[in-house]
Amino acid sequence: MEQRHVEIFAGSAIMAMAVKHTLDENNISYVERNDIESAITAGFGSADKAVHIFVFEDDEEKARYALVEANFDDIDEVGDLIDDENEE
């Protein structure tokens, strides 16, 4: 069965580094989509929330818990995604 990825973070490159570090510490695999690097390669700028972090759907709950435990629930980018999940 093919696993699906879900986005758990969208934000700045600096905050993405902290999110990736937290995921690494918790042995959670992730995929990064960096729109900043893509925009530079294409020759134009990028907007806010230009770095996106995805995890396997099966790891989503563990990843969100790890981010909340690391106090990422105070960050707008992760907070928005946590709020969106609670609305569903």
Side-chain angles (χ1 to χ4, degrees), residues 1-85:
M1 182 169 81
E2 187 175 317
Q3 288 200 46
R4 191 173 83 95
H5 284 92
V6 291
E7 183 177 72
I8 61 159
F9 174 81
S12 69
I14 299 295
M15 293 309 304
M17 287 173 50
V19 169
K20 292 186 301 183
H21 177 73
T22 299
L23 295 175
D24 285 337
E25 284 184 332
N26 288 277
N27 297 317
I28 300 170
S29 298
Y30 60 87
V31 174
E32 175 183 1
R33 186 184 85 207
N34 190 327
D35 294 344
I36 297 169
E37 290 178 8
S38 297
I40 290 170
T41 302
F44 55 88
S46 65
D48 289 343
K49 297 190 178 185
V51 179
H52 304 265
I53 306 294
F54 300 85
V55 297
F56 284 123
E57 192 172 37
D58 292 347
D59 292 334
E60 180 181 13
E61 185 176 338
K62 180 181 175 184
R64 289 185 188 281
Y65 180 77
L67 293 174
V68 169
E69 285 295 305
N71 293 319
F72 280 98
D73 55 331
D74 294 335
I75 299 169
D76 290 339
E77 291 92 343
V78 174
D80 290 345
L81 293 170
I82 291 171
D83 292 342
D84 290 346
E85 180 186 72

